[in-house]
């Protein structure tokens, strides 16, 4: 009687977890002790999966412990890795537990777990139709079966412990109800093995019979002898039904004997002693019910020995929040530093337009002003024209390399998507996997962002070239020897009478104060760049308390706390500069009015202004070009990671495609290849004489696997009378062999094995690159996030309008350029 329905373990194909998970770890976490620990944990996880799924497990507690540990580890690791069809490229292939032929690729969670958990949680994570064994209908039925069997276990325990009959009857009656519900759930479905339905029907009757048996004992105790007999008779009928219909599945011999003995004794006592009326079954009082089981929520860890291999790794939600926080931090730093650099360039431009401080140093009128000589030496030390020209020459090559990598990456996606569309058109609904066009949307969005970045970079390169062409002649003059530079500057002495005057002293004082402002900004910039704060603890706390992270609120609050004071210092520096420049312009007007103006002095002053401006432009162009070169080189690494990610997912899709094609081939091979069809009436042979053995009209298609018939046995040598040689009407002449058989209907052929293009565009990428995370220049670390340029604020963009010395093109354009530091 204690026959229980068990669900076989699902079988899975081997999956290499080490390579993709290790690549994610190395790209997301920098080389450190934690990275080494995570890589070892990946190896242990792979071993754990092989132990749980790679070999047959004994039906023992130790085997269950292995499965529970693997399940607990999957639950712990799932929020820490981006398991998705278009992120971490892992394809899990599972076989139907009830059908050894069907396959599906699905969520990392599948393999074991309570059926209610599978129905409510796992199925929503699948991106395709599940196999029949975990379809909603199947797991719902299995959940009811397990509930009924659990209730039966309590009934058996109560019977073994010889508890009161009233309790046992209620337990059995409840179990009968549970089995009845399960039976109704799968009565008209064929998603479970054929043995399940009769077992459920038998168990329903058996539990009901047990309930009636124990309730009859209560009736006897209350001296309701007629009720006792009625209940025993009902129980006997129930077990008789089980014995006649389901005997091959469940044995009820012992229960039948027990009921019959009790019924015989009850009838004998009632006939000779009590003479109590036996009521109808429908008139009996309903037996009570006692449900001691209910579906329990799955709350890992289920294993008592579980310890998370990736305990130190933060969940993906925290990683994503950290990435966005890093972007916000980079934007804040860029804004503050860019504002200061823009103000400094504005100050330099104003002073250069006033020929300061060169005008104060050029009192003799026939020598190189000290500030101009220092600027010339500075240009030479930085490589002069040759350095800038080499950097400008290298930019197109770097740009071309990046464009080729991006084009090749998108071409791989295009080729695979084309193949997928062709197969989808060929197989129609049978091609059940996610369309490549839908799957590649995030990657194509990234690719579009990369292309937009390159287009803006081209514009920025042109702005730099135009600025260089404007100042290249004066830069070349600064690179000449001192005697040649002095000879190129016109001689004049417009300020000789101003030596020692008060206005000169005021201007020198104001210029000194401006220099102090610039030095203070360099100090503030260094402090801003050195600010660090670990937001992971804040995000982890929020996730634990609220189950979600309000990243924007937490990040903005922390950034305001970290950089609020620096913002005030920057604004104070801007106000000080504005005040000093106003005083400088006023004093310079007085200074200019006192100069002895003539053509030579005006020409000399104009050359000195251009030389000062050329120096500032040289330094800025040089910095811009180095930033641009670094930008292109850094983008090359990022694009290689993007290319690697594209090639990985294309390779995973090819593997999945091959498996699906193989599965379709097997499915097509099992289909009938010669379907029956009706022959038109006008093609039918003339009707044979009607009779019970008349052959069917029209040709009959031969079976696909028909074997050749042996030749007819020769007739015996004896002479047969003429009358006996006539074939009677009741014989079957169609069975006799003939030399010219009737024409056969054309044999229908199954569809050929589908053809498709080979795997396009995949090639091995450098091992040092990883497609799963950027991890450079404050860029988003997570592969599922759209590519943005938080760490490349100053490159590319357009020059700020109205500024004589704008920085390298920046985005947004009103800010001064700042290429973020690591």
């Amino acid at each position: 009687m204690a026959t229980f329905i068990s669900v076989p373990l699902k079988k899975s194909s081997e999956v290499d977890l080490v390579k993709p998970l290790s690549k994610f770890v190395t790209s997301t976490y920098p080389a450190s002790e934690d990275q080494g620990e995570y890589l070892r944990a990946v190896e242990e996880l792979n071993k754990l999966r092989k132990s749980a799924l790679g070999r047959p497990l004994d039906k023992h507690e130790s085997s269950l412990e292995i499965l529970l540990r693997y399940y607990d580890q999957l639950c712990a690791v799932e929020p820490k890795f981006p398991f998705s069809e278009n992120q971490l490229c892992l394809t899990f292939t599972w076989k139907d537990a009830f059908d050894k032929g069907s396959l599906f690729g699905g969520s990392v969670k599948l393999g074991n777990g309570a059926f209610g958990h599978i129905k409510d949680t796992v199925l929503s994570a699948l991106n395709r139709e599940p196999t029949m064994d975990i379809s909603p209908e199947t797991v719902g039925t299995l959940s009811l079966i397990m509930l009924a069997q659990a209730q039966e276990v309590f009934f058996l325990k109560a019977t073994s412990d010889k508890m009161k009959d009233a309790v046992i009857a209620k337990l059995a009656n409840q179990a009968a109800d549970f089995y009845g519900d399960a039976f109704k759930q799968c009565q008209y479905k064929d998603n479970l093995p054929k043995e399940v339905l009769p077992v459920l029907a038998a168990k329903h009757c058996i539990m009901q019979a047990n309930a009636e048996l124990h309730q009859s004992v209560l009736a006897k105790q209350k001296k309701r002898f007629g009720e006792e007999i009625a209940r025993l008779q009902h129980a006997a009928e129930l077990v008789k039904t089980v014995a006649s219909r389901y005997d091959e599945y469940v044995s009820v011999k012992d229960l039948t004997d027990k009921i019959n003995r009790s019924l015989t004794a009850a009838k004998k006592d009632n006939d000779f002693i009590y003479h109590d009326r036996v009521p109808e079954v429908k008139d009996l009082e309903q037996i009570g019910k006692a449900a001691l089981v209910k579906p329990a929520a799955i709350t890992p860890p289920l294993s008592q020995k579980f310890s998370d291999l990736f305990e130190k790794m933060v969940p993906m939600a925290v990683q994503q929040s950290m990435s966005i926080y890093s972007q916000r931090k980079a934007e804040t730093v860029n804004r503050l530093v860019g504002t200061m650099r823009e103000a400094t360039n504005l100050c330099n431009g104003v002073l250069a337009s006033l020929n300061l401080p060169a005008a104060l140093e050029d009192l003799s009128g026939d020598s190189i002003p000290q500030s101009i000589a220092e600027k010339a030496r500075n240009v030479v030390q930085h490589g002069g024209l040759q350095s800038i020209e080499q950097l400008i020459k290298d930019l197109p090559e770097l740009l071309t390399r990046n464009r080729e990598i991006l084009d090749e990456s998108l071409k791989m996606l295009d080729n695979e998507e084309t193949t997928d569309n062709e197969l989808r058109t060929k197989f129609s609904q049978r091609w059940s996997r996610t369309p490549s066009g839908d799957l590649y949307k995030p990657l194509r969005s990234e690719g579009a962002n990369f292309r937009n970045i390159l287009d803006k970079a081209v514009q920025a390169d042109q702005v730099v070239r135009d600025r260089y062409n404007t100042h290249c002649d004066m830069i070349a003059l600064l690179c000449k020897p001192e005697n040649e530079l002095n000879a190129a500057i016109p001689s004049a002495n417009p300020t000789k009478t101003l030596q020692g005057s008060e206005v000169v002293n005021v201007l020198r004082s104001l210029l000194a104060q401006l220099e102090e402002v610039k030095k203070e900004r360099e100090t503030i910039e260094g402090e801003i760049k050195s600010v660090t704060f670990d937001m992971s603890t804040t995000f982890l706390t929020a996730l634990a308390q609220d189950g979600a992270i309000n990243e924007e609120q937490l990040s903005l609050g922390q950034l305001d706390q970290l950089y609020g004071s620096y913002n005030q210092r920057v604004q104070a520096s801007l106000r000080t500069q504005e005040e000093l420049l106003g005083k400088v312009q006023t004093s310079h007007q007085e200074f200019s009015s006192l100069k002895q103006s003539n053509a030579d002095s005006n020409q000399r002053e104009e050359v000195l202004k251009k030389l000062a401006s050329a120096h500032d432009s040289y330094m800025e162009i040089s910095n811009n070009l180095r930033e641009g070169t670094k930008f292109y080189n850094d983008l090359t690494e990022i694009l290689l990671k993007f290319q690697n990610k594209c090639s990985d997912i294309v390779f995973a899709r090819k593997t999945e495609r091959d498996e699906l094609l193989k599965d379709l081939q097997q499915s097509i091979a099992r289909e009938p290849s010669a379907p029956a069809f009706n022959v038109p009436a006008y093609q039918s042979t003339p009707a044979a004489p009607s009779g019970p053995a008349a052959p069917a009209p029209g040709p009959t298609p031969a079976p696909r696997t028909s074997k050749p018939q042996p030749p007819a046995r020769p007739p015996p040598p004896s002479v047969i009378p003429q009358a006996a040689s006539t074939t009677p009407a009741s014989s079957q002449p169609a069975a006799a062999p003939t030399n010219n058989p009737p024409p056969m209907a054309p044999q229908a052929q199954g569809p050929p094995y589908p053809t498709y293009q080979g795997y396009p565009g995949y090639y091995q990428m450098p091992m040092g690159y990883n497609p799963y995370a950027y991890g450079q220049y404050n860029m988003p670390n997570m592969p599922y996030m759209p590519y943005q340029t938080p760490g490349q604020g100053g490159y590319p963009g357009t020059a700020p309008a109205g500024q004589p010395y704008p920085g390298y093109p920046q985005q947004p354009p009103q800010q001064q350029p700042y290429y973020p530091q690591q």
Side-chain angles (χ1 to χ4, degrees):
M1 186 185 70
T3 300
F4 288 100
I5 298 172
S6 63
V7 180
L9 295 177
K10 291 178 71 66
K11 302 296 183 183
S12 175
S13 301
E14 184 175 350
V15 176
D16 181 18
L17 299 178
V18 175
K19 183 178 179 181
L21 296 186
S22 297
K23 289 173 69 175
F24 174 80
V25 168
T26 53
S27 63
T28 306
Y29 299 93
S32 63
E33 183 177 347
D34 286 344
Q35 185 192 88
E37 182 177 343
Y38 296 154
L39 292 176
R40 290 189 294 270
V42 168
E43 296 282 353
E44 290 299 320
L45 176 61
N46 198 50
K47 292 179 182 178
L48 183 59
R49 186 179 196 275
K50 289 183 178 180
S51 299
L53 305 176
R55 60 184 178 84
L57 296 177
D58 299 329
K59 294 182 178 180
H60 192 269
E61 289 292 334
S62 60
S63 298
L64 180 61
E65 178 64 25
I66 293 176
L67 292 175
L68 292 180
R69 280 183 56 207
Y70 178 56
Y71 173 77
D72 288 339
Q73 187 59 67
L74 288 183
C75 291
V77 82
E78 186 186 22
K80 300 180 180 180
F81 287 89
F83 291 107
S84 172
E85 196 174 4
N86 64 339
Q87 294 170 26
L88 197 56
C89 299
L90 279 171
T91 301
F92 292 84
T93 304
W94 294 94
K95 294 184 179 180
D96 191 322
F98 303 123
D99 179 7
K100 297 182 179 179
S102 59
L103 303 174
F104 85 105
S107 166
V108 71
K109 270 191 169 181
L110 301 178
N112 53 67
F115 299 107
H117 183 70
I118 293 176
K119 182 178 180 181
D120 299 335
T121 305
V122 176
L123 293 180
S124 62
L126 292 178
N127 47 28
R128 65 187 62 198
E129 288 296 320
T131 47
M132 187 62 71
D133 60 333
I134 60 167
S135 66
E137 297 82 6
T138 303
V139 295
T141 303
L142 291 175
S143 180
L144 291 175
I145 293 174
M146 297 304 138
L147 200 66
Q149 294 187 153
Q151 179 75 18
E152 183 183 355
V153 169
F154 279 100
F155 159 76
L156 295 174
K157 182 67 167 61
T159 304
S160 175
D161 294 346
K162 298 182 179 180
M163 298 181 70
K164 294 180 179 181
D165 290 286
V167 174
I168 298 176
K170 292 179 180 180
L171 293 174
N173 197 32
Q174 184 64 68
D177 266 15
F178 284 154
Y179 277 117
D181 293 341
F183 177 82
K184 293 176 185 177
Q185 183 80 6
C186 66
Q187 187 174 6
Y188 302 106
K189 301 180 178 67
D190 56 356
N191 49 1
L192 290 174
K194 62 180 181 178
E195 298 84 3
V196 172
L197 195 63
V199 171
L200 294 178
K203 286 295 191 78
H204 172 70
C205 295
I206 292 171
M207 288 295 102
Q208 197 171 354
N210 274 290
E212 296 288 2
L213 173 62
H214 288 277
Q215 193 69 19
S216 72
V217 177
L218 293 178
K220 182 177 181 180
Q221 293 172 356
K222 296 178 181 179
K223 300 188 182 302
R224 299 174 183 173
F225 303 108
E227 179 185 342
E228 177 192 9
I229 294 173
R231 292 192 182 280
L232 289 173
Q233 286 177 343
H234 188 208
E237 292 173 358
L238 289 170
V239 294
K240 183 179 179 181
T241 300
V242 174
S244 62
R245 296 183 182 180
Y246 313 118
D247 185 56
E248 62 177 304
Y249 303 104
V250 179
S251 174
V252 289
K253 184 177 183 304
D254 293 341
L255 180 60
T256 302
D257 292 344
K258 184 176 182 180
I259 294 173
N260 289 336
R261 286 195 302 270
S262 299
L263 179 58
T264 300
K267 283 184 177 181
K268 181 177 179 181
D269 291 344
N270 193 53
D271 290 342
F272 286 97
I273 303 174
Y274 307 116
H275 305 289
D276 195 11
R277 186 182 67 85
V278 179
E280 295 290 334
V281 174
K282 60 184 178 63
D283 297 329
L284 295 175
E285 183 181 349
Q286 293 292 326
I287 303 174
K289 301 173 185 177
L292 297 186
V293 296
K294 63 179 181 179
I298 297 297
T299 55
L302 303 178
S303 170
Q304 298 180 354
K305 301 179 181 178
F306 172 69
S307 60
D308 188 3
L309 296 172
F310 301 88
E311 184 176 5
K312 294 183 179 180
M313 184 181 291
V314 297
M316 288 295 298
V318 176
Q319 296 182 35
Q320 180 181 5
S321 298
M322 287 292 295
S323 177
I324 301 176
Y325 167 76
S326 298
Q327 177 183 348
R328 295 184 190 276
K329 179 183 176 182
E331 291 173 352
T332 301
V333 171
N334 287 351
R335 177 174 53 81
L336 294 175
V337 174
T339 299
M340 290 190 295
R341 289 188 176 182
E342 181 181 359
T344 299
N345 287 338
L346 175 62
C347 179
N348 291 337
V350 171
L351 295 180
S353 66
L354 300 177
N355 195 25
L356 294 175
L360 302 179
E361 300 165 351
D362 191 29
L363 299 180
S364 63
D366 56 2
S367 61
I368 302 176
Q370 181 180 356
S371 61
I372 297 297
E374 292 177 355
K375 293 178 187 298
R377 288 193 293 269
N378 197 20
V379 169
V380 173
Q381 290 174 359
H382 282 81
L385 280 179
Q386 184 178 1
S387 173
I388 287 186
E389 290 175 350
Q390 184 61 44
L391 290 172
I392 292 177
K393 181 181 178 182
D394 292 340
L395 287 181
E397 181 181 348
L398 297 174
L399 172 66
T400 301
R401 180 176 60 178
N402 285 327
R403 284 198 185 279
E404 289 175 352
I405 295 173
L406 180 59
D407 291 342
E408 197 64 35
S409 303
L410 296 178
K411 182 180 178 182
M412 285 191 288
L413 301 182
D414 293 339
N415 291 341
E416 199 285 325
E417 184 176 346
T418 300
T419 304
D420 181 70
N421 291 336
E422 291 174 353
L423 292 172
R424 189 174 307 281
T425 301
K426 183 169 187 174
F427 291 105
S428 187
Q429 296 181 351
R430 289 189 175 190
W431 197 251
S432 57
R433 71 173 185 168
T434 305
S436 295
D438 297 339
L439 191 63
Y440 294 157
K441 284 182 180 179
L443 290 174
R444 293 196 182 281
S445 177
E446 281 189 75
N449 285 330
F450 285 133
R451 195 171 298 283
N452 184 48
I453 290 169
L454 288 174
D455 291 341
K456 290 183 178 180
V458 172
Q459 299 175 9
D461 294 344
Q462 188 59 46
V463 170
V464 173
R465 290 191 187 93
D466 293 343
R467 187 180 302 162
Y468 169 72
N469 292 334
T470 301
H471 298 280
C472 63
D473 292 339
M474 299 308 294
I475 294 174
L477 186 58
L478 287 172
C479 295
K480 293 182 178 297
E482 184 174 344
N483 59 338
E484 294 184 23
L485 175 60
N486 190 26
I489 301 175
S491 298
N493 190 12
T495 58
K496 186 174 182 180
T497 59
L498 298 179
Q499 293 183 8
S501 66
E502 181 179 357
V503 67
V504 173
N505 295 332
V506 170
L507 282 174
R508 285 175 175 170
S509 174
L510 292 173
L511 294 177
Q513 294 179 54
L514 285 174
E515 285 299 318
E516 289 297 323
V517 170
K518 295 178 185 178
K519 291 180 180 179
E520 183 185 8
R521 285 176 184 163
E522 293 178 358
T523 302
I524 295 176
E525 180 176 335
E527 293 178 3
I528 289 175
K529 292 179 181 179
S530 63
V531 171
T532 58
F533 183 80
D534 185 8
M535 281 291 290
S536 60
T537 303
T538 304
F539 290 142
L540 282 171
T541 302
L543 185 62
Q545 292 178 350
D546 306 328
I549 300 175
N550 189 338
E551 182 276 328
E552 183 177 7
Q553 179 181 354
L554 295 174
S555 295
L556 292 179
Q558 186 61 47
L559 290 174
D560 183 65
Q561 182 178 346
L562 293 175
Y563 295 102
S565 60
Y566 291 109
N567 186 55
Q568 295 176 3
R569 292 171 64 182
V570 169
Q571 296 302 319
S573 175
L574 296 182
R575 289 192 296 269
T576 301
Q577 173 177 301
E578 184 178 3
E579 180 181 350
L580 290 175
L581 285 179
K583 294 180 179 179
V584 166
Q585 289 176 328
T586 300
S587 299
H588 185 267
Q589 290 177 359
E590 182 181 355
F591 174 78
S592 299
S593 64
L594 298 176
K595 289 192 301 182
Q596 299 176 0
S597 299
N598 55 50
D600 291 340
S601 64
N602 290 339
Q603 186 179 5
R604 178 179 177 83
E605 185 171 355
E606 188 65 26
V607 171
L608 293 178
K609 287 181 182 180
K610 290 183 178 180
L611 289 174
S613 177
H615 167 267
D616 294 340
S617 296
Y618 174 86
M619 299 306 298
E620 190 172 353
I621 292 172
S622 180
N623 289 334
N624 292 160
L625 289 172
R626 288 188 174 88
E627 287 180 355
T629 302
K630 186 175 186 296
F631 163 79
Y632 280 124
N633 288 329
D634 294 341
L635 186 60
T636 298
E637 292 190 15
I638 295 170
L639 287 174
L640 285 172
K641 293 175 183 178
F642 175 73
Q643 185 184 49
N644 205 358
K645 179 159 63 171
C646 292
S647 64
D648 277 359
I649 193 172
V650 166
F651 182 78
R653 292 284 286 179
K654 175 189 177 296
T655 303
E656 182 188 45
R657 181 181 69 202
D658 292 344
E659 290 183 356
L660 184 56
L661 283 171
K662 181 179 178 182
D663 191 33
L664 286 174
Q665 182 191 26
Q666 294 174 352
S667 176
I668 292 171
R670 289 195 294 265
E671 292 179 352
S673 59
F677 57 91
N678 295 325
V679 179
Y682 66 85
Q683 292 184 1
S684 301
T685 57
S690 61
T700 302
R704 187 177 184 180
T705 57
S706 60
K707 297 181 180 179
Q709 298 294 326
R713 186 183 300 274
S718 59
V719 178
I720 304 299
Q722 184 68 25
S725 64
T726 304
T727 303
S730 60
S731 64
Q732 298 180 5
T738 60
N739 292 330
N740 296 312
M744 304 299 296
Q747 183 75 22
Q749 298 295 327
Y753 186 81
T755 59
Y756 58 97
Q757 298 177 357
Y759 175 50
Y762 181 77
Y763 51 88
Q764 294 293 334
M765 295 302 302
M767 295 302 292
Y769 300 117
N770 188 284
Y772 300 109
Y774 299 121
Q776 297 284 340
Y777 312 108
N778 296 316
M779 301 189 70
N781 290 331
M782 300 295 82
Y784 54 82
M785 295 184 57
Y787 178 80
Q788 300 179 12
T789 56
Q792 295 156 355
Y795 193 94
T798 57
Q803 299 295 340
Y805 296 98
Y808 198 76
Q810 170 123 356
Q811 190 178 12
Q814 66 268 19
Q815 295 181 0
Q816 199 59 25
Y818 166 61
Y819 199 85
Q821 304 297 317
Q822 282 187 297

